[in-house]
Amino acid sequence: MQLQQLAYFVAVAETRHFTHAAERMRVAQPSLSKQIKALETDLGAPLFSRARGNVTLTPAGEALLPLARRMLADADTARREVGELAGLRRGRVRLGATPSLCAGLLADALARFHRDYPGIELLVEEGGSRDLVRALARGQLDLALIILPLQGDDPSLVTEEILRENLVVVSPSHARGRVRKPYIRIDELRGRPMVMFRRGYDLREATLNACRQAGFEPRFAVEGGEMDAVLRFVEAGLGIAVVPSMVLDGRPGLTGTPLVPPGLSRTIALAHRKDVEPTRAAQAFRATLLFYLAEAAHERSLPPGVELITPISPNP
C-alpha cells in the first residue's frame, strides 16, 4: 500500500469518476486505474463498484476512506513538521473555531501570531463543534476551539478548557420586540418568536434543552441560520435568540439581556488529536493564543461575560 495509491483512491471516492479523479491528480487515467487495481489486489477486496458506469464505494471502500484520509493528512503533517525544524520560518497551522470566536477574540490572536511568525501559513475553518471534532478526527485540522461538553466522550481527543462565556437573550434594540428588563428567565421565552440556529449547532441544543427543562417547546419564527444570519434576523425584528455575549460587540442594533442567575454558560476548549503530537507551528499558536488571553484577562479587556479558566499556562 502506497500513499500515492491512497491519494488516487480518495480522489476517485470524492469525484465518483475515474477520469475526473485523474484530472484532479494530474495523471493519465489508465495509470490511475492501474494503481487503484494494484491497491485492491494488495488489500484483497474491490474498493469500487463500477456497474453501468456508476462508480460507488463497496463496503471495503467505505471502511478504507476515513483511514486513507487520515493517513494522507498525517503524512502531510509529518512533511511539514520536518520542514519546520529550521526554526518556524515556515509551516502551517490548520485551526478550527466556532463562528462566535471567529467574529470575536480570535482575530486579534491571529494577528499577533502572524506578526511573530510571518512565514507560517494560517488556515482557519469555521464551523460548529460537531463538525470541527469530525475534522480533527479525520486529520484535517491541527487544533480546534470547540464547545464542551462534547456530545458523547471522544477518547481520540485531548481537550484543554480555556474560557467560559455567558449566554444572553438577544433582542432588537429598537422598540418593537426589545427585552426591557435587566434580567430574563428562560420560562419568559415561552410563546415568544425565536430565531433558531441550524440543526447540529451547539447553541441550538443548549437553547432547546433549557426551554424543555423549563417545561415548554420554543416557538420558532425562523430556523436554520448560522451566527451572522441569526443576529441579522434578530436585528430585523423577526424574533429573539440565545447567543454568546461576546458576539454583541460592535452591534448597536442588538440588546443582550442576561439570564437570571445561574443563567446559561458554555466552556470553550482547545482540542487536538490524542494520537498525533501537534506540530511545532501548532504549539507556537497555542502558546500565542493562551498568552494573549492571559494578557487580556489581566488588562480586563476580555469581552463582557467572558472569563479565563485558571490555571492556564502557555507552555505546551
Side-chain angles (χ1 to χ4, degrees):
M1 185 187 307
Q2 301 174 7
L3 287 174
Q4 185 182 58
Q5 293 173 339
L6 293 177
Y8 290 167
F9 162 72
V10 170
V12 176
E14 292 179 346
T15 62
R16 293 294 200 264
H17 201 285
F18 277 78
T19 300
H20 294 167
E23 291 171 352
R24 176 195 286 190
M25 301 304 298
R26 298 182 180 179
V27 64
Q29 192 267 330
S31 297
L32 180 141
S33 297
K34 182 178 179 180
Q35 291 298 320
I36 294 292
K37 184 63 177 177
L39 179 60
E40 291 175 323
T41 300
D42 186 25
L43 294 174
L47 301 173
F48 296 103
S49 173
R50 304 167 176 82
R52 297 183 180 180
N54 294 323
V55 178
T56 58
L57 286 166
T58 64
E62 293 281 2
L64 177 62
L65 184 57
L67 299 174
R69 284 173 169 156
R70 179 178 295 186
M71 292 169 69
L72 291 170
D74 289 348
D76 184 54
T77 297
R79 283 192 292 268
R80 290 181 178 273
E81 178 71 0
V82 171
E84 292 170 10
L85 294 177
L88 288 180
R89 290 193 296 270
R90 54 180 177 165
R92 179 189 66 183
V93 177
R94 300 169 301 170
L95 176 70
T98 60
S100 59
L101 289 171
C102 286
L105 289 170
L106 193 56
D108 289 338
L110 288 171
R112 178 173 296 191
F113 181 78
H114 182 67
R115 180 198 66 196
D116 294 341
Y117 304 98
I120 295 181
E121 181 183 9
L122 283 167
L123 300 176
V124 178
E125 179 174 331
E126 186 179 60
S129 281
R130 296 182 185 183
D131 297 332
L132 297 177
V133 166
R134 285 192 289 268
L136 278 172
R138 290 194 296 261
Q140 296 172 340
L141 296 173
D142 301 307
L143 301 169
L145 289 159
I146 63 173
I147 306 303
L148 297 181
L150 299 174
Q151 298 298 314
D153 293 334
D154 191 333
S156 66
L157 296 182
V158 175
T159 59
E160 177 182 13
E161 297 182 0
I162 58 174
L163 291 173
R164 185 172 294 108
E165 62 175 339
N166 293 329
L167 302 182
V168 299
V169 174
V170 64
S171 60
S173 295
H174 52 76
R176 180 170 170 264
R178 180 181 177 183
V179 175
R180 298 181 176 276
K181 303 170 64 175
Y183 290 93
I184 188 171
R185 300 189 313 273
I186 282 290
D187 60 11
E188 293 180 85
L189 306 185
R190 186 194 304 264
R192 296 195 60 157
M194 298 190 68
V195 179
M196 185 55 66
F197 294 93
R198 63 171 171 80
R199 294 184 184 277
Y201 221 80
D202 300 277
L203 287 166
R204 179 190 179 97
E205 301 307 317
T207 304
L208 289 175
N209 289 338
C211 291
R212 287 166 181 165
Q213 288 177 12
F216 69 96
E217 288 290 325
R219 172 190 163 201
F220 296 164
V222 185
E223 66 172 315
E226 300 281 351
M227 178 62 70
D228 190 59
V230 165
L231 296 178
R232 288 180 181 274
F233 293 156
V234 174
E235 283 178 326
L238 290 170
I240 60 177
V242 176
V243 302
S245 57
M246 72 169 66
V247 302
L248 301 183
D249 189 34
R251 287 186 177 265
L254 295 172
T255 296
T257 304
L259 289 155
V260 172
L264 293 175
S265 65
R266 64 180 191 172
T267 299
I268 299 167
L270 189 62
H272 66 84
R273 274 175 55 189
K274 182 178 293 185
D275 61 340
V276 177
E277 185 71 16
T279 66
R280 292 184 64 210
Q283 292 177 32
F285 177 79
R286 174 190 175 276
T288 299
L289 174 65
L290 297 189
F291 184 81
Y292 165 77
L293 293 175
E295 186 177 68
H298 178 72
E299 296 175 354
R300 302 183 184 277
S301 59
L302 288 172
V306 178
E307 63 176 336
L308 193 66
I309 296 177
T310 55
I312 188 169
S313 169
N315 296 321

